[in-house]
Amino acid sequence: MSVSTGQWPSELRLKDSGRLLHVNFESGSAFDLTAEYLRVMSPSAEVQGHSEVERVTVGGKENITVIGVEPVGTYAVRLTFDDLHSTGIFTWDYLYELGTQHDQKWAFYLDELAAKGLSRDKPGQR
């Protein structure tokens, strides 16, 4: 994750039956982040590990949904997914980073899947 940019959300809304999280920021930026993208980029230690080499690539999340959004203080939300993953704390800055760097992060994830023989529609991780 990056250094704090001081981003502050003005709205978070689940759309499309939990398949999208719409985030508006006070700066005027707005993003529709898919549940799949949020799940595979979860900031949890379970996904990110404690260093870059420990990062786990998670496949099979193409049809996942967000089933819960819980505030964590005034700085973040905890998302619960329908696979019951709920250990990632998504700070406002991290949500902003996921929005602004979506194309690069998504391409990196797709490359990781291919390199590890995983797919978006079949469960697996490495």
Side-chain angles (χ1 to χ4, degrees):
M1 284 186 259
S2 64
V3 174
S4 177
T5 59
Q7 294 300 318
W8 194 261
S10 57
E11 178 184 32
L12 280 93
R13 180 183 308 258
L14 287 176
K15 296 167 64 176
D16 192 20
S17 301
R19 294 195 190 289
L20 285 174
L21 177 67
H22 178 77
V23 185
N24 280 333
F25 287 92
E26 288 182 347
S27 64
S29 298
F31 307 102
D32 283 325
L33 305 172
T34 67
E36 178 186 16
Y37 178 58
L38 292 165
R39 175 60 177 89
V40 302
M41 294 295 164
S42 172
S44 70
E46 176 185 334
V47 174
Q48 298 300 327
H50 296 286
S51 69
E52 187 66 31
V53 295
E54 292 180 358
R55 177 171 157 65
V56 174
T57 304
V58 180
K61 301 301 178 184
E62 185 173 27
N63 295 311
I64 200 158
T65 60
V66 176
I67 60 171
V69 179
E70 175 187 348
V72 176
T74 59
Y75 68 95
V77 290
R78 177 187 315 273
L79 302 179
T80 301
F81 298 88
D82 65 4
D83 67 355
L84 302 183
H85 175 78
S86 64
T87 58
I89 304 294
F90 290 80
T91 65
W92 309 139
D93 285 338
Y94 189 54
L95 286 172
Y96 186 80
E97 178 183 320
L98 290 174
T100 58
Q101 297 179 22
H102 176 274
D103 293 348
Q104 304 95 299
K105 288 181 178 288
W106 187 248
F108 178 79
Y109 170 68
L110 294 177
D111 288 346
E112 278 185 319
L113 284 177
K116 295 178 179 183
L118 299 170
S119 72
R120 293 176 58 209
D121 63 344
K122 292 183 184 154
Q125 63 185 42
R126 293 194 184 130

